[in-house]
Amino acid sequence: MTTRTATTKPADDQPFDFNLDAVQSEVDLTPWRVHWSGQRWEFAHMQALDVWPLMEAAEGGDADAMIGVFRTALGAEQWAEFRKRPLPQYKMKALFDAYRAHSGLAEGESAASSGS
């Protein structure tokens, strides 16, 4: 029988292979502002969004992924207000395409897959 030993986690002051804390965005992460239904909405830049809720939403397919991006980009308070307004599908697609273009992402490229 083989005995496994736990790997000791190095102290934070020890050398590391990659410092993710030092990584900076290569693009300007200015929020995107939209006028819709008589109101101004501010979406966080797509490349600045937290990937975890986006990945969870993507498990439900393309429509859920798109909604997950909007929900995350608007934040809870704006999202709740945004959802109260009817949004035709053709406007949702136009909104997503323009948002993706603002964020410097090619068609078919998601916020979670952006990387340079």
Side-chain angles (χ1 to χ4, degrees):
M1 186 180 285
T2 305
T3 304
R4 293 189 108 160
T5 57
T7 305
T8 306
K9 180 180 171 188
D12 285 343
D13 64 347
Q14 297 299 307
F16 45 82
D17 297 312
F18 181 73
N19 185 355
L20 187 56
D21 290 333
V23 175
Q24 299 293 318
S25 175
E26 294 181 6
V27 298
D28 178 9
L29 298 177
T30 301
W32 188 56
R33 293 167 188 91
V34 173
H35 185 267
W36 164 243
S37 189
Q39 187 170 333
R40 179 185 178 107
W41 306 93
E42 187 170 295
F43 293 71
H45 193 285
M46 195 179 286
Q47 292 193 48
L49 300 180
D50 180 4
V51 299
W52 304 126
L54 302 181
M55 291 171 52
E56 288 174 13
E59 291 174 3
D62 290 346
D64 284 350
M66 195 179 310
I67 289 168
V69 166
F70 290 149
R71 180 185 307 118
T72 304
L74 287 168
E77 188 175 318
Q78 279 194 106
W79 174 248
E81 286 301 312
F82 192 80
R83 277 280 286 123
K84 290 178 182 177
R85 292 152 173 86
L87 182 63
Q89 287 186 35
Y90 73 93
K91 288 192 182 217
M92 181 175 172
K93 181 181 180 334
L95 178 68
F96 191 72
D97 290 346
Y99 182 37
R100 186 174 44 227
H102 165 81
S103 298
L105 301 176
E107 188 165 341
E109 186 177 7
S110 72
S113 70
S114 67
S116 300

